[in-house]
Amino acid sequence: MDYQNIIFSLEGGIARLTLNRPDRLNSFNGEMHLELRDALARTRDGGARVLLLSGAGRGFCAGQDLSDRNVAVGAEPVDLGYSIETFYKPLVLGLRALEMPVICAVNGVAAGAGASIALACDLVLAARSASFIQAFSKIGLVPDAGGTWALPRLVGTARAMGLAMLGEKLSAEQAADWGLIWKCVDDDKLMAEAEKLAVHFSTAPTRGLAYTKRALYASSGNSLEQQLELERSMQQELGFGHDYREGVLAFMEKRSPGFTGK
Ligand code: T3D
């Protein structure tokens, strides 16, 4: 598939995906969603051990492309439920299902579903000049693409409510202080830092990290006992794997480990 709305590459275990509609602040349209779906499948099936997501130009993503929605008086109303079911839900679930770390480098404003997609990633770094805006309330919608799930879990109900109901701009620095994201980084260091992380993960024990991701996301729906059981079964499986043996051997032999991701 040829991509017109994203840039994608997969090299040395690193999948790099850049949203690429800079004149529309990389907002989503149907074509971009189809390209993203294809790129996520290639990431999953093509031997990637980490995905790095970012945006081209001055913004990360301004959410749904509103010029794609015909809201003129008398026009047939758009079925947003169809849009969520067909595009946003699979995108969020697709990111979550990737059995590898997903890094998001938020290079500029992340608004509406753009903010939600960033928060669906596992490690979110943002440039100091970037911001997060729950723009939905300004057009009479609820935070979607997992926003109502992620926000209260990350920052608590009080802050989630304020962000979602007011739709005010949250700076990257404040987002990091509140625990919404992993780190705020100087603008000129963002991509270098995100790349450094991607390179680190490209030779890391990928399966262990994939299980870590799954266990942490499962924790909010589990009792302590269920979570202990999940940890037991994961540790049991990982303990029979190559990377555990290699990690322990490398430690004992005082050398760098050669993880295969298995
Ligand atoms: O519909 C469904 O399927 C349901 C799902 C919905 C999910 C959603 O994401 S709903 C929320 C949609 N997003 C928004 O409401 C955000 C709209 N954008 C903004 O509020 C502002 O653009 C920003 C705060 C993000 C950035 O402001 P600023 O001043 O830095 O940039 P700007 O001048 O507003 O935007 C630059 C250009 O991008 C501009 O085009 P122009 O005038 O230069 O030709 C602007 O129209 C365009 N743009 C920005 N966001 C969108 C957009 N065009 C289409 N759709 C957008 N979302």
Side-chain angles (χ1 to χ4, degrees), residues 207 234-245 262:
R207 190 148 153 252
M234 286 179 164
Q235 218 67 309
Q236 182 170 40
E237 247 188 84
L238 292 168
F240 292 124
H242 169 274
D243 283 350
Y244 167 67
R245 203 167 47 245
K262 302 282 186 302

Side-chain angles (χ1 to χ4, degrees), residues 106-178:
V106 181
N107 52 299
V109 65
S116 301
I117 295 306
L119 299 181
C121 298
D122 306 317
L123 279 176
V124 186
L125 280 74
R128 203 165 294 284
S129 67
S131 56
F132 295 82
I133 307 176
Q134 297 299 316
F136 310 92
S137 60
K138 302 200 168 156
I139 54 170
L141 298 181
V142 297
D144 60 20
T148 59
W149 189 90
L151 285 171
R153 282 172 168 79
L154 291 168
V155 298
T157 307
R159 283 173 170 165
M161 205 64 90
L163 290 172
M165 289 201 164
L166 295 171
E168 288 173 357
K169 187 184 279 195
L170 184 74
S171 70
E173 211 158 327
Q174 185 92 75
D177 284 350
W178 283 8

Side-chain angles (χ1 to χ4, degrees), residues 24-201:
R24 284 277 163 272
L25 295 183
N26 302 319
S27 54
F28 295 107
N29 61 15
E31 271 180 30
M32 188 197 257
H33 274 293
L34 294 178
E35 293 175 14
L36 284 168
R37 185 172 306 176
D38 190 72
L40 288 193
R42 286 171 62 187
T43 301
R44 189 191 58 222
D45 301 334
R49 290 170 71 176
V50 56
L51 170 64
L52 171 54
L53 175 66
S54 192
R58 73 173 175 91
F60 170 67
C61 175
Q64 170 63 38
D65 185 331
L66 297 176
S67 63
D68 243 20
R69 298 285 174 258
N70 186 358
V71 288
V73 178
E76 185 70 21
V78 183
D79 182 349
L80 301 188
Y82 174 82
S83 164
I84 301 291
E85 188 64 34
T86 313
F87 297 125
Y88 289 101
K89 220 169 109 181
L91 175 56
V92 172
L93 294 177
L95 287 167
R96 276 294 155 90
L98 282 179
E99 296 192 327
M100 65 191 76
V102 178
I103 303 166
C104 186
V106 181
N107 52 299
V109 65
S116 301
I117 295 306
L119 299 181
C121 298
D122 306 317
L123 279 176
V124 186
L125 280 74
R128 203 165 294 284
S129 67
S131 56
F132 295 82
I133 307 176
Q134 297 299 316
F136 310 92
S137 60
K138 302 200 168 156
I139 54 170
L141 298 181
V142 297
D144 60 20
T148 59
W149 189 90
L151 285 171
R153 282 172 168 79
L154 291 168
V155 298
T157 307
R159 283 173 170 165
M161 205 64 90
L163 290 172
M165 289 201 164
L166 295 171
E168 288 173 357
K169 187 184 279 195
L170 184 74
S171 70
E173 211 158 327
Q174 185 92 75
D177 284 350
W178 283 8
L180 187 74
I181 62 169
W182 167 235
K183 248 187 197 180
C184 166
V185 183
D186 287 341
D187 287 24
D188 59 347
K189 306 222 165 58
L190 176 73
M191 288 320 291
E193 186 130 347
E195 277 289 335
K196 200 167 132 195
L197 269 182
V199 169
H200 165 78
F201 285 131

